[in-house]
Amino acid sequence: MAGPIEEGLPYPLGATWSGKGTNFALFSANATKVEVCLFDGERETRIALPEYTDQIFHGYIPDVGPGTFYGYRVHGPYDPGNGHRFNPNKLLLDPYARAHAGALSWNPAVFGYRMESGDDLSFDERDSAPFVPKCVVVDPDFDWTCVPPKQNVHWDETIIYETHVKGFTKKHPGVPEHLRGSYAGLGSDAAIAHLKSLGITSVELLPVHTFVNDSNLVEKHLTNYWGYNTIGFFAPDPRYAADVPNSLREFKEMVSRLHGAGLEVILDVVYNHTAEGNEHGPTLSFKGIDNASYYRLMPDNRRWYLNDTGVGNTVNLGHARVMQMVMDSLRYWAGHMHIDGFRFDLGIVLARDAGEFEEGSSFLKVADQDPLLTTVKLIAEPWDAAMHYNLGDFPPGWAEWNGKFRDTVRDFWRGMAPPAQLAGRLLASGDLFNEKGRRTWASVNFVTAHDGFTLNDWASYNNKHNEANGENNKDGSDDNRSWNCGVEGPTDDGAIRNLRNRQKRNMLATLLFSQGTPMILGGDEFGRTQQGNNNAYCQDNDITWFDWNFDDDGKQLLAFTRRLIEILKTFPILRRSRFLTGQHDGELNVRDVTWLNAGGGEMSEADWNTPWIKCFGMLLDGRTRKTAMPRHGEDETVLMIMNSFEGGVAFRLPQATGGSQWSLLVDTNIPDAPPGATFAFGSTYDVTGRSLLLFSLLP
């Protein structure tokens, strides 16, 4: 039984349990009254927060403890023309809630206006409480002292694995059935065993902040699988919990288990928009708490929302309290939840103050000076829904998804990009990142990601096949830069299957042997397919769930991927933090990179500009300095040869200082060949059409 309310404190924001009661604090610059609503089953008790300090309503209620369900009702003007959409008939989620319970039911009562009329200027008096999730007071204590701390994997050693909490484990036979698809499942022995055996260092999870299933998807009996529709920035989504009442603890236990295995945890986060949509969207939280503060509105008519994100609204980081919420959220996950890094969805939207991307934007300034956030990995998606690109424009200390790497590598291996376009991408895209002291790791290289074809589908389909999404195959990108190798979709043709398998190996080898930070899409290591769907955001089913029953091709590709990662870790010259440029180092008399033609000589200007030349080599000299100090490196020299021509090419192996012969490490045409075959300087190696080779220099 809750005791009589007291004044409480205006900080910290949210619901904070003291051990004897709970302090409630909610920011609203324009509200006139706030009621905290406590739930015991269907019974609701409304208690007005008595104090208002610095635009924060607050109060302390004795005897309210962990497990209590609550929400807010916020009073104020309903004046959409001036940006205000207060409606106390709507139960609202606390922006700072650490846990949510229940799911949204798309009833007309969840809208602040009379939804059936389509007129957002109308006012709806129906109670939304029966149809919306509730917040949960939590006990924040968790014993982190007995588990390993955050891993702090150096960027030079980072190999990212992008995956989905549910999809990764939903069909895994080694995960106990009741844990499949959950945080506990991802932290299970079987799941961790696969990640560790693969050799990756960092697991990047698609959004786990609480999110909403879009109404249009629910109507089509689909769901928001990816999770880019956030409604709570502090709470792990309970749909991924095997033990829903203890979802927060289960998430922490997953993190501790992954840390215990030496793996980092990186979260994909969505701070650019929320699930409340535009003026015709529901009133679930921010819109009803203080719409004019939380969202960017059109300056000439504040009824309308600025839509930089393509999904109806844009979070207003120009407001100090909204910026505080985002930074508090990041610090909460990095500090209290022990998260090792963040990937920011539509990152350039966050970096806009007056409309255009600015390296000196408020968000980037605040993030870059934060003493906690500077200790974790910060990764930007450097484009927005309208495909405005700011690749390479984020400040030092940030890494960025390099979409140009993906596009160029795809084009090269389908024979559409010449060596001249690929060369710079192999060296961490120095044309984009080599300034202001940035390092090669700033380029997060990938050839596939959650958005688009899987690697298997890239080699199997010319066109997207998104019919299951219910949008007449009009959703998803048409710019796939893929090649089906002669037949659309699955085939029993042995020659085509062999070519597809070689193309997949080519892509993985290019990704892992390029300078920069490699990111592998989960499942690509064994050839996961989405049946040609390149926009599986709404497919929570066999289309996206990993199938762990590998065929022989899948087993071979998995073994090959493990071998590539082992080679990457063994040869440091493949993962230098200092940019390699091809310039001669006069102090050490070393050239870090030498580009070679098939004759074994240096690529000439004519070679670079000859369109039919599709085979070339890249020699990385291990004697290259590792830092600015004039000291020779002690790494082994390697030679990579790439041939995107359909036919074989006789390649003369060059001489190299410090060695006497070449040792073959990888030939993507012979994936099972044991490494170690040696070849003399000047000998000719027959490079199979569409294949990649890697050699190391022997003394």
Side-chain angles (χ1 to χ4, degrees):
M1 188 73 176
I5 192 166
E6 302 172 7
E7 296 87 342
L9 297 170
Y11 56 85
L13 290 165
T16 306
W17 183 52
S18 68
K20 296 181 178 180
T22 299
N23 190 82
F24 294 91
L26 179 72
F27 158 75
S28 181
N30 296 291
T32 58
K33 176 183 176 181
V34 172
E35 295 172 298
V36 61
C37 307
L38 307 179
F39 289 85
D40 183 3
E42 296 183 0
R43 179 187 174 191
E44 176 183 351
T45 302
R46 304 183 187 184
I47 304 172
L49 296 181
E51 286 289 348
Y52 187 57
T53 305
D54 296 332
Q55 299 183 328
I56 296 173
F57 291 85
H58 56 95
Y60 177 85
I61 307 178
D63 303 319
V64 169
T68 302
F69 286 16
Y70 76 98
Y72 290 114
R73 296 184 187 271
V74 181
H75 300 251
Y78 190 81
D79 183 9
N82 287 308
H84 302 308
R85 296 180 180 271
F86 295 101
N87 187 335
N89 299 297
K90 310 306 166 184
L91 185 74
L92 306 175
L93 292 165
D94 182 354
Y96 277 73
R98 266 52 173 182
H100 289 183
L104 174 66
S105 176
W106 283 101
N107 185 281
V110 305
F111 294 83
Y113 65 98
R114 292 192 296 275
M115 188 271 289
E116 298 90 338
S117 72
D119 180 10
D120 68 293
L121 299 179
S122 63
F123 184 81
D124 188 87
E125 297 182 353
R126 288 169 287 193
D127 183 9
S128 69
F131 310 106
V132 297
K134 309 301 187 293
C135 306
V136 185
V137 178
V138 302
D139 179 355
D141 289 344
F142 184 82
D143 186 6
W144 293 101
T145 60
C146 298
V147 298
K150 290 193 291 186
Q151 295 307 293
N152 296 321
V153 176
H154 196 279
W155 269 113
D156 298 351
E157 301 171 345
T158 299
I159 304 170
I160 298 173
Y161 185 88
E162 187 196 29
T163 193
H164 188 282
V165 169
K166 183 175 184 179
F168 184 80
T169 62
K170 185 61 178 177
K171 298 174 68 176
H172 198 302
V175 176
E177 188 169 358
H178 70 286
L179 299 181
R180 293 175 189 171
S182 69
Y183 301 124
L186 186 59
S188 68
D189 291 342
I192 290 175
H194 177 78
L195 297 170
K196 289 296 292 181
S197 69
L198 187 59
I200 58 95
T201 67
S202 310
V203 180
E204 181 176 309
L205 300 178
L206 266 67
V208 297
H209 290 173
T210 50
F211 63 93
V212 167
N213 286 327
D214 314 61
S215 60
N216 65 309
L217 295 179
V218 173
E219 290 169 0
K220 293 187 290 187
H221 304 288
L222 298 171
T223 187
N224 189 321
Y225 176 70
W226 286 350
Y228 293 92
N229 204 26
T230 303
I231 196 61
F233 297 116
F234 291 80
D237 198 297
R239 76 187 70 194
Y240 299 138
D243 181 9
V244 173
N246 294 296
S247 57
L248 179 62
R249 175 169 292 275
E250 184 176 327
F251 182 91
K252 293 178 180 179
E253 289 173 348
M254 175 197 73
V255 173
S256 71
R257 292 270 299 165
L258 290 167
H259 282 175
L263 297 168
E264 287 187 316
V265 180
I266 298 171
L267 298 186
D268 194 334
V269 290
V270 186
Y271 292 108
N272 57 79
H273 74 277
T274 78
E276 291 186 301
N278 60 17
E279 60 277 1
H280 292 119
T283 297
L284 306 174
S285 180
F286 314 94
K287 186 180 289 184
I289 293 171
D290 195 345
N291 183 70
S293 294
Y294 277 107
Y295 294 115
R296 296 182 64 192
L297 306 177
M298 297 295 289
D300 54 343
N301 188 339
R302 294 175 64 77
R303 175 184 177 185
W304 314 115
Y305 293 74
L306 282 167
N307 185 18
D308 291 339
T309 63
V311 290
N313 65 54
T314 305
V315 173
N316 181 23
L317 291 184
H319 193 289
R321 287 296 187 187
V322 181
M323 176 73 78
Q324 178 190 353
M325 176 190 71
V326 171
M327 299 308 295
D328 284 349
S329 170
L330 289 168
R331 283 188 286 262
Y332 173 75
W333 290 96
H336 185 77
M337 304 290 272
H338 287 210
I339 295 302
D340 302 283
F342 304 95
R343 180 264 188 188
F344 293 85
D345 175 64
L346 303 185
I348 68 172
V349 174
L350 302 176
R352 289 175 177 157
D353 282 341
E356 297 297 325
F357 173 90
E358 298 179 47
E359 183 183 333
S361 68
S362 300
F363 171 74
L364 293 177
K365 285 180 179 177
V366 172
D368 290 348
Q369 63 76 45
D370 189 276
L372 178 57
L373 296 185
T374 53
T375 67
V376 300
K377 291 181 167 69
L378 302 177
I379 305 169
E381 181 182 42
W383 54 82
D384 63 12
M387 296 312 293
H388 296 120
Y389 251 65
N390 286 97
L391 180 60
D393 292 341
F394 277 75
W398 283 75
E400 304 174 38
W401 271 26
N402 190 344
K404 288 188 176 181
F405 179 92
R406 171 201 59 205
D407 294 347
T408 306
V409 172
R410 288 184 174 194
D411 281 346
F412 177 80
W413 285 115
R414 66 191 184 113
M416 301 296 288
Q421 288 186 19
L422 181 64
R425 303 293 160 243
L426 300 176
L427 300 180
S429 299
D431 57 319
L432 300 171
F433 296 104
N434 190 10
E435 62 176 3
K436 301 179 182 178
R438 299 184 79 178
R439 297 292 181 167
T440 58
W441 53 256
S443 175
V444 176
N445 301 328
F446 63 102
V447 292
T448 52
H450 68 274
D451 188 0
F453 279 150
T454 65
L455 181 60
N456 179 84
D457 291 356
W458 171 83
S460 304
Y461 295 91
N462 283 348
N463 304 301
K464 65 188 181 185
H465 294 268
N466 298 353
E467 290 81 6
N469 296 356
E471 300 178 42
N472 297 317
N473 206 36
K474 294 182 179 179
D475 64 300
S477 175
D478 292 312
D479 184 23
N480 296 298
R481 301 169 190 249
S482 60
W483 179 45
N484 64 18
C485 300
V487 174
E488 188 76 352
T491 180
D492 292 327
D493 187 301
I496 291 177
R497 289 170 62 93
N498 287 337
L499 176 56
R500 288 177 176 177
N501 289 334
R502 189 161 70 251
Q503 286 284 72
K504 287 182 275 188
R505 294 191 291 268
N506 290 337
M507 291 277 275
L508 286 169
T510 306
L511 170 65
L512 289 163
F513 295 159
S514 294
Q515 303 291 311
T517 302
M519 183 185 79
I520 300 170
L521 173 62
D524 277 356
E525 70 271 23
F526 52 80
R528 179 173 72 91
T529 180
Q530 291 182 168
Q531 304 167 32
N533 193 320
N534 75 349
N535 189 36
Y537 75 103
C538 56
Q539 299 298 326
D540 187 4
N541 49 45
D542 285 343
I543 291 176
T544 53
W545 298 346
F546 290 24
D547 184 355
W548 295 93
N549 295 313
F550 311 147
D551 59 14
D552 289 341
D553 288 345
K555 293 175 182 177
Q556 184 184 70
L557 185 59
L558 176 58
F560 184 78
T561 306
R562 288 170 172 160
R563 182 174 156 203
L564 295 180
I565 293 175
E566 183 180 0
I567 290 171
L568 173 61
K569 293 181 175 182
T570 303
F571 292 87
I573 190 64
L574 295 171
R575 47 185 172 83
R576 285 291 185 88
S577 67
R578 186 180 174 90
F579 281 93
L580 308 179
T581 64
Q583 299 297 314
H584 183 262
D585 184 339
E587 287 185 284
L588 301 181
N589 193 28
V590 171
R591 177 175 294 173
D592 51 16
V593 180
T594 303
W595 303 103
L596 302 168
N597 58 32
E602 289 191 38
M603 289 280 284
S604 66
E605 192 69 23
D607 291 332
W608 288 117
N609 294 318
T610 300
W612 52 263
I613 292 181
K614 297 185 177 182
C615 181
F616 72 115
M618 179 179 70
L619 190 152
L620 304 180
D621 195 323
R623 300 174 301 147
T624 299
R625 68 172 75 193
K626 294 184 177 181
T627 69
M629 300 301 294
R631 290 192 295 263
H632 280 103
E634 298 177 349
D635 298 341
E636 293 185 58
T637 295
V638 299
L639 169 66
M640 184 162 69
I641 299 172
M642 309 174 73
N643 179 23
S644 65
F645 180 57
E646 63 184 15
V649 174
F651 201 103
R652 185 177 297 276
L653 301 180
Q655 293 189 3
T657 303
S660 60
Q661 57 185 339
W662 293 104
S663 174
L664 180 65
L665 297 174
V666 171
D667 182 340
T668 59
N669 184 52
I670 317 172
D672 296 330
T678 58
F679 300 86
F681 291 163
S683 62
T684 298
Y685 193 103
D686 291 328
V687 184
T688 304
R690 298 191 178 96
S691 69
L692 179 149
L693 312 173
L694 186 72
F695 297 87
S696 64
L697 184 65
L698 294 180

